Amino acid sequence: MKIGTVSLASPLVVAPMAGMTDTAFRRLVKRHGGCGLVVTEMVSSEGLVRGIDRTLEYAEYTEEERPVSIQIFGGDPEKMAAAAQVVESMGADIVDVNMGCPVPKIAKHNAGCSLMREPAHAATVIAAMTKAVKIPVTVKMRAGWNDGDRNAPTLARMAQDAGAAAIAVHGRTAEQSYSGAADWDLVARIARDLTIPVFGSGDCIEPEQIIERMRTGVPGVLVGRGVLRNPWILAQAADLAAGRAPRTVTLEDRGQFLLEYIELLLNERIDEARAVSHDRWVVNKLRALGSWYTKGLENGSHLRTAINSAESLQKVRDTIATFFTAEGAISAV
Ligand SMILES: Cc1cc2nc3c(=O)[nH]c(=O)nc-3n(C[C@H](O)[C@H](O)[C@H](O)COP(=O)(O)O)c2cc1C
């Protein structure tokens, strides 16, 4: 699989998730295998162009994550082109445009999914970016703004014509937010219609679902919440694709992942102005991941509550270490 000139070892991707897919998390997922591309959390085009510290921090990545795509949001063609140049100068492999975010704070600025309501303008944004940089420009969109306007097939075609090197489609409308189910038939239809690679996104919780989606003719899959619940899901899907049984993940493996995440976060450069302390910031990060990671886990709600009420980072570590030993899991029953 290739996106423009960038080769992906696997068509399985960690979907961008604001607040969640930081460089530490992406590195750990990548180390477990099966992952062909990682995408940063969305970053503001305005912030990139103005060199705002916090924006640059969100766009940070490490060499071991390559190939890396930096996702930007905004609605002004010139600013988006300038931001794409910043992304290119940061050494990223791909720049991705967010046309899927339904959050009013983003959408009301003519960015995110509201760009889908103005396809001609959206195409101008993409064309300005592809002209400004040599790295591939990709677009992530939803099925449309609402049920009356499911225009992803049209916009995807326009994006391709404007020079986009790949498209990702989350098969829900902005109005749906996360309700209902992602429409993978729509994704497959778009994939059939375009010559560039099309990635689908939505509701892959089990590795088998990823393989089933690809069998419908969708060349690649972005997995979001499924990776937060099970960071091994891409590796397990790759096992299935290779005709092997999906690897087993033990309770200890799951605990180890969280402990390693803590260590990587502690080594991260953070904007001290927005955190009471580095430890506190790490605790908050663990709480955010914990709310997803504990889903579907036996006694997961116990762990979630324990992490949320732990008053120090050491307490979070102890809670994890205890829970993820066989004895800890049994005593939580
Ligand atoms: C917490 C969270 C944050 C997200 N942030 C972004 C984002 O920054 N950019 C984006 O394009 N999509 C974002 N998404 C959407 C996901 O990339 C993905 O398309 C969507 O969650 C559906 O896939 P899933 O069912 O595998 O999670 C976010 C989703 C979640 C749950």
Side-chain angles (χ1 to χ4, degrees):
M1 149 89 67
K2 270 188 127 179
I3 296 180
T5 50
V6 179
S7 296
L8 310 190
S10 151
L12 309 179
V13 181
V14 180
M17 284 179 285
M20 309 304 305
T21 48
D22 50 63
T23 167
F25 184 81
R26 299 189 306 258
R27 249 176 286 163
L28 285 179
V29 173
K30 186 99 198 204
R31 284 177 196 172
H32 290 301
C35 169
L37 178 69
V38 299
V39 190
T40 65
E41 316 172 49
M42 61 178 175
V43 299
S44 150
S45 54
E46 180 87 34
L48 277 182
V49 172
R50 285 168 46 198
I52 308 274
D53 250 7
R54 191 180 297 185
T55 308
L56 295 170
E57 192 185 297
Y58 288 141
E60 262 170 25
Y61 65 88
T62 54
E63 285 304 308
E64 68 172 292
E65 293 168 57
R66 283 194 193 280
V68 175
S69 169
I70 294 184
Q71 186 188 65
I72 64 174
F73 67 88
D76 177 64
E78 274 171 33
K79 225 164 252 164
M80 288 292 275
Q85 286 172 337
V86 176
V87 166
E88 186 171 52
S89 71
M90 289 173 76
D93 301 285
I94 293 169
V95 57
D96 184 53
V97 187
N98 182 314
M99 290 199 190
C101 186
V103 176
K105 200 171 79 176
I106 305 288
K108 79 169 183 234
H109 290 298
N110 201 12
C113 201
S114 64
L115 278 171
M116 293 193 77
R117 306 177 88 174
E118 293 178 73
H121 179 69
T124 311
V125 170
I126 299 162
M129 291 172 66
T130 55
K131 250 215 269 161
V133 294
K134 289 198 185 69
I135 56 172
V137 175
T138 60
V139 180
K140 182 164 179 283
M141 60 180 73
R142 282 189 172 237
W145 181 259
N146 59 26
D147 245 356
D149 197 10
R150 297 169 72 82
N151 65 345
T154 312
L155 185 60
R157 165 65 68 138
M158 290 170 76
Q160 175 176 281
D161 292 344
I167 304 287
V169 182
H170 173 196
R172 285 187 175 85
T173 63
E175 214 166 77
Q176 271 182 297
S177 188
Y178 289 91
S179 65
D183 181 352
W184 281 85
D185 290 339
L186 179 85
V187 181
R189 192 146 47 88
I190 296 170
R192 278 195 299 275
D193 186 47
L194 300 192
T195 52
I196 55 174
V198 172
F199 294 77
S201 169
D203 307 338
C204 292
I205 297 299
E206 300 297 335
E208 289 79 6
Q209 291 169 317
I210 299 174
I211 303 300
E212 279 163 28
R213 304 312 187 203
M214 293 180 68
R215 278 209 193 101
T216 66
V218 177
V221 176
L222 264 68
V223 185
R225 293 167 295 177
V227 178
L228 302 179
R229 286 166 75 137
N230 170 20
W232 291 264
I233 188 172
L234 303 183
Q236 290 171 325
D239 287 338
L240 287 170
R244 295 187 294 264
R247 66 199 60 185
T248 313
V249 180
T250 65
L251 210 52
E252 282 79 6
D253 293 334
R254 293 186 61 88
Q256 192 57 32
F257 183 95
L258 291 181
L259 295 175
E260 284 175 16
Y261 184 48
I262 291 175
E263 290 318 305
L264 291 182
L265 288 172
L266 280 172
N267 287 320
E268 213 72 358
R269 177 184 79 88
I270 63 155
D271 174 5
E272 294 285 351
R274 79 181 153 111
V276 179
S277 70
H278 203 131
D279 271 19
R280 198 73 231 155
W281 176 77
V282 176
V283 169
N284 288 339
K285 278 272 176 192
L286 263 289
R287 287 181 180 166
L289 180 59
S291 69
W292 299 99
Y293 200 79
T294 54
K295 281 201 176 91
L297 196 65
E298 206 174 332
N299 299 310
S301 62
H302 289 84
L303 176 61
R304 191 157 59 246
T305 309
I307 293 179
N308 286 345
S309 54
E311 66 282 0
S312 69
L313 183 56
Q314 192 48 48
K315 190 84 182 95
V316 173
R317 275 204 196 93
D318 294 345
T319 303
I320 292 167
T322 310
F323 184 89
F324 288 101
T325 57
E327 307 85 66
I330 290 162
S331 67
V333 174

